Amino acid sequence: AGDITLLGQNVNVFGQDDEGDGTSFPELLHKVAALPGLRRLRFVTPHPRDFSEETVAAFADLPQLCSRLHLPLQSGSDSVLARMGRGYDMGRYLDLVARLRKARPDIALSTDLIVGFPGETEAEAMDTVSLVKEIGFDALFTFIYSPRPGTKAAEMPDPVPRTEKQ
């Protein structure tokens, strides 16, 4: 098998939809890791809100599971995360990072960040900068907010000038 990457918009809710067979994402990780000849197992992209303790434990239990994880943050500000509807706050995110690093001390973390979300203040942006420094990500993918039609954010007033976002 060599290498396998499990891919999904929110991969860690695998099996929780109506068409699922009841297999949870951690169970799937264990089943795939047991495939003969598998050297490396990866997955993208989990949602921090849905990251189970069993999935964290898989990083300690499965040597085939690569010690690299892309864990979208989006913002280091609780108020911005709430406006985004992300379903977690910084305390929960930091706790998840700590548990992952305990399970796999050499884990490399990357993340996504959005700057200039509607109504983001300079203080909220600086919360993100502080959090990025605190966590010490290995890679960042940063994006300037732009409205996506059909989303709640697209209907929000956007007072942050594009030059400031840049």
Side-chain angles (χ1 to χ4, degrees):
D3 292 26
I4 293 178
T5 300
L6 303 175
L7 173 65
Q9 180 66 29
N10 183 1
V11 70
N12 47 338
V13 294
F14 174 86
Q16 295 180 19
D17 59 0
D18 292 338
E19 290 80 34
D21 68 359
T23 301
S24 71
F25 184 64
E27 290 170 326
L28 177 66
L29 289 173
H30 282 270
K31 286 180 180 184
V32 173
L35 292 172
L38 182 71
R39 290 184 329 221
R40 287 184 292 270
L41 173 59
R42 299 174 182 88
F43 62 89
V44 291
T45 298
H47 194 302
R49 172 192 65 216
D50 301 313
F51 215 104
S52 71
E53 193 56 43
E54 294 80 12
T55 302
V56 171
F59 280 95
D61 299 340
L62 302 175
Q64 303 89 337
L65 190 55
C66 291
S67 36
R68 186 193 182 307
L69 180 66
H70 186 74
L71 191 62
L73 174 61
Q74 308 302 0
S75 173
S77 164
D78 285 343
S79 52
V80 173
L81 289 171
R83 289 197 306 274
M84 289 178 170
R86 294 291 293 170
Y88 57 88
D89 61 18
M90 290 322 314
R92 187 167 170 187
Y93 190 93
L94 287 168
D95 178 64
L96 175 57
V97 167
R99 290 183 290 126
L100 285 164
R101 287 187 168 147
K102 183 177 180 186
R104 183 71 68 88
D106 65 340
I107 196 164
L109 297 174
S110 60
T111 197
D112 296 330
L113 297 170
I114 296 173
V115 298
F117 191 77
E120 184 177 56
T121 65
E122 186 171 341
E124 290 168 329
M126 290 301 102
D127 286 345
T128 299
V129 171
S130 294
L131 194 80
V132 165
K133 289 177 182 177
E134 180 180 345
I135 292 175
F137 290 102
D138 294 273
L140 301 173
F141 298 90
T142 58
F143 304 92
I144 295 172
Y145 169 79
S146 60
R148 183 180 298 168
T151 64
K152 288 182 183 181
E155 299 168 16
M156 294 177 179
D158 188 8
V160 183
R162 179 149 182 89
T163 55
E164 189 174 327
K165 291 176 187 181
Q166 291 172 325

